[in-house]
């Protein structure tokens, strides 16, 4: 995975986490039939309240190529993200989905779990969809878009016609499983991701026999559930995407060209005001999260470069401020 060294290590030790010892900063673990997740924050850091009372509720989908990581690896990131939003005078709740990992659980298991979690937020927690932000990084961004496509389908995984969320935040999203854009080659030695790792991930999370499956969701790499640059059939972006979209990518990451192309496509079809693109000069893949990594083993395996000053997690805070700004400009009328 470390592009600088051309390595593709085994990430087994990053796949499953013993949650004992980190529960002090998790307000609630939720395990339901159909999904599991964590309430990292419920309205505030000091005085938890029902998420329905929050100005914003974030459904967060973590990265890791569908094969590794968990909300536990994102706790510092999510807490700082939420804190930055709180600093903007906005109450926030954050629910991080702990979706099942490949290869034991192939796609669309993760999509079905996302749909179940969203239905839980709307139907059980009574969070208004116009106050929900769907957010994800890397493979989590891919999963977020797949869920929105599914949500707009008359045959959605939830079996219900649920309204789409108000906003979408994508950090270094994985948008095309073909991995053919120039930055894949140009940035291979700069980024923390590598093309060989991504090729392995595609085989594992779709299942080695995916092409032989009857499921239209995962039988073709160009399925609109999997491919967001050249899907077949085409995706009706206005129907699928929320009222606002915020996207970030670093110029040194292998996904940069694909993200830039997708943002341009959304702007061309839906207008410049629908999407905001934040570019990180000389930044690697999901640099906002990378700066929050404190575990020495994770640093060795994932970080092959300096990603910036970790004091205060400034890049994470900047992302939180950007999200709060989008919510105020495009979000619930009460916050404008």
């Amino acid at each position: 995975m470390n592009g600088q060294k051309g390595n593709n290590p085994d990430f087994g030790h990053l796949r499953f986490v013993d949650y004992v010892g980190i529960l002090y900063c998790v307000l609630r673990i939720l395990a339901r039939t159909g999904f599991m997740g964590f309430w990292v924050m419920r309205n505030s850091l000091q005085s938890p309240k029902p998420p329905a009372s929050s100005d914003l509720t974030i459904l967060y989908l973590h990265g890791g190529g569908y094969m590794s990581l968990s909300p536990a690896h994102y706790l510092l990131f999510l807490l700082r993200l939420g804190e930055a939003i709180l600093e903007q005078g906005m109450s926030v709740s954050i629910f991080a989905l702990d979706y099942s990992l490949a290869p034991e659980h192939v796609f669309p298991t993760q999509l079905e779990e996302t749909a179940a979690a969203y239905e839980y937020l709307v139907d059980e927690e009574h969070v208004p969809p116009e106050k929900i932000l769907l957010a994800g990084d890397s493979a989590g961004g891919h999963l977020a878009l797949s869920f929105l496509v599914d949500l707009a389908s008359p045959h959605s995984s939830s079996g219900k016609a649920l309204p789409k969320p108000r906003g979408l935040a994508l950090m270094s999203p994985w948008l095309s499983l073909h991995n053919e854009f120039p930055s894949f080659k140009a940035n291979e030695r700069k980024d923390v991701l590598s093309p060989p790792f991504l090729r392995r991930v595609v085989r594992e999370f779709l299942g080695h026999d995916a092409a032989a499956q009857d499921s239209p969701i995962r039988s073709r790499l160009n399925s609109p559930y999997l491919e967001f640059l050249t899907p077949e059939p085409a995706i009706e972006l206005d129907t699928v995407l929320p009222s606002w979209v915020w996207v970030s990518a670093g110029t040194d990451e292998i996904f940069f060209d694909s993200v830039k192309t997708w943002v341009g496509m959304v702007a061309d079809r839906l207008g410049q005001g629908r999407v905001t693109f934040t570019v990180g000069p000389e930044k690697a893949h999901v640099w906002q999260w990378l700066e929050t990594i404190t575990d020495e083993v994770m640093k060795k395996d994932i970080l092959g470069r300096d990603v910036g000053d970790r004091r205060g997690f400034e890049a994470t805070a900047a992302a939180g401020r950007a999200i709060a700004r989008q919510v105020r400009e495009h979000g619930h009328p009460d916050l404008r």
Side-chain angles (χ1 to χ4, degrees):
M1 187 172 180
N2 187 316
Q4 287 188 316
K5 299 179 181 179
N7 294 333
N8 290 286
D10 181 2
F11 287 92
H13 63 284
L14 296 179
R15 299 186 65 225
F16 305 105
V17 173
D18 182 355
Y19 293 104
V20 176
I22 61 172
L23 300 185
Y24 70 95
C25 60
V26 179
L27 298 180
R28 182 172 153 199
I29 299 176
L30 184 74
R32 293 290 179 89
T33 301
F35 73 98
M36 177 178 174
F38 293 79
W39 280 111
V40 178
M41 186 178 297
R42 290 167 62 85
N43 197 71
S44 72
L45 286 171
Q46 290 81 22
S47 303
K49 295 180 181 179
S53 64
S54 296
D55 296 323
L56 177 68
T57 294
I58 299 175
L59 173 55
Y60 197 85
L61 308 176
H62 68 82
Y66 287 99
M67 291 178 57
S68 64
L69 305 180
S70 73
H73 296 102
Y74 280 74
L75 282 177
L76 288 178
F77 167 79
L78 292 173
L79 287 167
R80 185 65 185 104
L81 188 77
E83 184 181 48
I85 294 172
L86 290 171
E87 290 168 352
Q88 302 306 303
M90 190 179 302
S91 60
V92 60
S93 295
I94 301 176
F95 183 77
L97 179 65
D98 193 10
Y99 58 79
S100 300
L101 298 178
E104 293 85 356
H105 303 276
V106 298
F107 193 86
T109 300
Q110 300 81 5
L111 170 59
E112 294 164 353
E113 292 171 339
T114 304
Y118 186 76
E119 182 180 354
Y120 155 75
L121 291 179
V122 174
D123 287 353
E124 293 191 42
E125 291 291 349
H126 307 293
V127 178
E130 61 267 23
K131 290 190 176 183
I132 294 179
L133 168 66
L134 181 65
D137 69 278
S138 195
H142 183 275
L143 179 56
L145 285 170
S146 184
F147 165 67
L148 289 173
V149 170
D150 182 68
L151 192 65
S153 168
H155 308 292
S156 65
S157 296
S158 69
K160 294 183 177 181
L162 296 173
K164 59 187 175 183
R166 177 59 65 116
L168 174 66
L170 303 173
M171 284 166 276
S172 303
W174 191 12
L175 298 169
S176 175
L177 303 188
H178 296 289
N179 304 321
E180 295 173 343
F181 281 80
S183 58
F184 278 85
K185 183 66 175 178
N187 289 340
E188 184 175 0
R189 295 292 175 178
K190 298 178 181 179
D191 201 9
V192 295
L193 284 182
S194 71
F197 172 75
L198 292 175
R199 288 192 289 271
R200 172 192 167 197
V201 165
V202 172
R203 292 194 303 270
E204 297 287 356
F205 96 90
L206 292 182
H208 294 278
D209 59 344
Q213 301 298 319
D214 294 331
S215 170
I217 290 180
R218 66 187 182 101
S219 62
R220 295 178 295 107
L221 287 185
N222 283 347
S223 159
Y225 292 89
L226 298 172
E227 170 65 32
F228 305 111
L229 289 168
T230 58
E232 298 175 2
I235 295 172
E236 295 292 334
L237 291 176
D238 193 38
T239 301
V240 169
L241 293 180
S243 60
W244 62 269
V245 180
W246 177 78
V247 188
S248 68
T251 59
D252 280 359
E253 65 172 298
I254 61 177
F255 286 165
F256 182 72
D257 285 346
S258 60
V259 175
K260 183 179 179 181
T261 299
W262 186 81
V263 169
M265 182 174 67
V266 173
D268 288 343
R269 294 187 189 179
L270 304 183
Q272 295 285 344
R274 192 75 171 264
V275 60
T276 300
F277 187 29
T278 296
V279 175
E282 299 183 348
K283 294 297 185 181
H285 187 63
V286 201
W287 75 96
Q288 301 98 329
W289 169 67
L290 291 179
E291 73 168 9
T292 68
I293 295 176
T294 58
D295 180 83
E296 293 302 322
V297 175
M298 290 183 68
K299 283 183 184 179
K300 179 179 178 181
D301 284 342
I302 295 179
L303 302 181
R305 52 179 284 165
D306 182 13
V307 295
D309 188 353
R310 291 183 173 82
R311 290 176 296 181
F313 301 151
E314 177 51 34
T316 307
R321 292 191 294 269
I323 288 171
R325 186 162 51 249
Q326 293 297 312
V327 172
R328 290 195 183 280
E329 292 177 359
H330 305 286
H332 194 279
D334 294 343
L335 297 175
R336 293 179 181 173

